[in-house]
């Protein structure tokens, strides 16, 4: 049975891997025109949040998974670490395109 920390790392890793894909779909307009009726200030704050929060979340996920990996060598922690790294790489890759 997985420990509580391993479950948390795995869930965080899954979120970190899915978040860049969801943000890319928002950016290309799959969910409609997000900027309709918004002021520039609102768009600026929303843009900063969409850039900074996912990258910080991925870094926190990597650090948390690394600490948990030193404590226990469960498979869920390894998968969570891998997914957090994938999420970080996807964030960087989608920012460049």
């Amino acid at each position: 049975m997985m420990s509580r920390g391993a479950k948390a790392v795995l869930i965080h890793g899954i979120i970190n891997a899915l978040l860049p894909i969801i943000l890319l779909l928002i950016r290309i307009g799959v969910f409609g025109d997000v900027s309709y009726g918004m002021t520039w200030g609102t768009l600026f704050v929303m843009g900063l949040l969409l850039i900074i929060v996912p990258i910080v979340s991925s870094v926190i996920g990597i650090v948390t998974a690394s600490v948990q990996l030193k404590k226990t060598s469960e498979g869920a922690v390894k998968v969570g670490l891998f997914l957090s790294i994938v999420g970080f790489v996807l964030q960087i890759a989608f920012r460049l395109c």
Side-chain angles (χ1 to χ4, degrees):
M1 187 162 168
M2 284 191 292
S3 67
R4 184 175 178 197
K7 286 180 188 177
V9 168
L10 181 61
I11 291 170
H12 199 154
I14 291 170
I15 291 169
N16 283 336
L18 291 177
L19 193 58
I21 297 167
I22 293 169
L23 293 178
L24 179 69
L25 292 175
I26 290 171
R27 192 168 86 184
I28 62 174
V30 171
F31 301 113
D33 189 11
V34 181
S35 63
Y36 181 72
M38 291 187 177
T39 63
W40 282 107
T42 306
L43 287 175
F44 181 73
V45 170
M46 190 170 78
L48 283 178
L49 289 176
L50 290 176
I51 292 171
I52 294 173
V53 171
I55 292 177
V56 170
S57 175
S58 292
V59 170
I60 289 172
I62 292 169
V63 170
T64 305
S66 300
V67 170
Q68 284 293 325
L69 194 59
K70 287 189 184 266
K71 290 181 181 179
T72 179
S73 184
E74 291 187 42
V77 176
K78 293 176 185 176
V79 172
L81 177 61
F82 176 73
L83 289 173
S84 289
I85 292 171
V86 166
F88 184 74
V89 170
L90 286 175
Q91 286 291 341
I92 301 301
F94 289 160
R95 295 291 172 236
L96 296 177
C97 62

